[in-house]
Amino acid sequence: MAEGCRCRIVAGNWKMHGARAALEALAAGLAARSAAQAESTPEVVVFPPFPYLSAVNQALGTGEGGGGIAVQLGAQDVSAHPQGAHTGEVSASMLADCGCSHVLVGHSERRASCGETDELVARKFARAVSGSLTPVLCVGETLSERNAGRTAEVVLRQLGAVLERCGADGFRNAALAYEPVWAIGTGQTATPEQAQEVHAILRAAIARADARIAAGLRILYGGSVKGANAAALFAQPDIDGGLVGGASLDPEDFWRIITA
């Protein structure tokens, strides 16, 4: 992607949902629909559970050669270690071997349930970059933090840990995702204006380090994105797409978001 030129991206985080056959069918349907799409559509990435990466990657291949968009594969997490005795961990090179081009780092559910610190998230981001994966760094505040007026403080702290380790150059082939924790899976959604305000804060923080990289950085909104609200969110100047949870498991709703 050229610096200063942002293309849209819609990412589907399938979390720990589905079984192999169901996710293969979902991926194949998405690939086939994208291949038949004549109009310009955004970059699309799906993030299935680890055991189904290869199966989903094979199913996505059904859309190759038909024009339209090529749906890409991502993983939901990556180890901060390159290799070694780290039972249960999955390295960046292993993810690449499975066909992954992208990886989520710092998702709020991992920060909360797995105790991932800003420092650990920064190490994972750096490992993804060094492994030639495109990291999607997730940042966001809880409801209590928003009510206390700490939204900017929280997201800038989370982003700052990565900037300190990797610099702005680490975002040359990366994406950011603002996911207000209070809006994930709750049915609540930040208004387009609320989301835009935080996206602008994040872009400005990158711009202070490197304006050209900031201009080209894709910043996604994640938090109960649906077909019904996607267009209004994506119309904001600093919202470059969505990190979609539950709606990405609904083929019709996910496609409405993609074409929004």
Side-chain angles (χ1 to χ4, degrees), residues 125-166:
F125 184 98
R127 186 60 59 193
V129 170
S130 67
S132 298
L133 296 173
T134 297
V136 180
L137 173 65
C138 303
V139 300
E141 84 283 15
T142 63
L143 182 59
S144 63
E145 289 166 337
R146 169 164 280 275
N147 289 340
R150 297 181 55 217
T151 295
E153 172 196 337
V154 171
V155 299
L156 290 176
R157 185 201 73 224
Q158 294 169 337
L159 173 60
V162 178
L163 281 172
E164 183 177 355
R165 177 172 286 270
C166 300

Side-chain angles (χ1 to χ4, degrees), residues 44-202:
V44 178
V45 189
V46 294
F47 296 84
F50 281 137
Y52 304 138
L53 285 173
S54 293
V56 168
N57 190 43
Q58 185 173 0
L60 291 175
T62 61
E64 293 179 356
I69 57 174
V71 182
Q72 300 178 76
L73 184 71
Q76 297 176 15
D77 188 33
V78 64
S79 177
H81 306 283
Q83 60 180 6
H86 305 287
T87 301
E89 297 276 292
V90 180
S91 71
S93 61
M94 291 174 178
L95 296 178
D97 278 346
C98 289
C100 290
S101 57
H102 293 66
V103 64
L104 299 177
V105 291
H107 192 281
S108 62
E109 290 162 358
R110 293 199 60 84
R111 291 180 189 263
S113 63
C114 301
E116 292 195 359
T117 63
D118 294 341
E119 191 274 337
L120 176 58
V121 171
R123 288 171 54 210
K124 290 186 172 189
F125 184 98
R127 186 60 59 193
V129 170
S130 67
S132 298
L133 296 173
T134 297
V136 180
L137 173 65
C138 303
V139 300
E141 84 283 15
T142 63
L143 182 59
S144 63
E145 289 166 337
R146 169 164 280 275
N147 289 340
R150 297 181 55 217
T151 295
E153 172 196 337
V154 171
V155 299
L156 290 176
R157 185 201 73 224
Q158 294 169 337
L159 173 60
V162 178
L163 281 172
E164 183 177 355
R165 177 172 286 270
C166 300
D169 198 61
F171 288 89
R172 196 175 297 276
N173 182 40
L176 265 177
Y178 168 55
E179 44 158 21
V181 179
W182 49 271
I184 298 175
T186 65
Q188 298 185 68
T189 308
T191 66
E193 294 75 19
Q194 286 174 322
Q196 164 60 26
E197 180 182 12
V198 180
H199 281 230
I201 289 170
L202 293 168

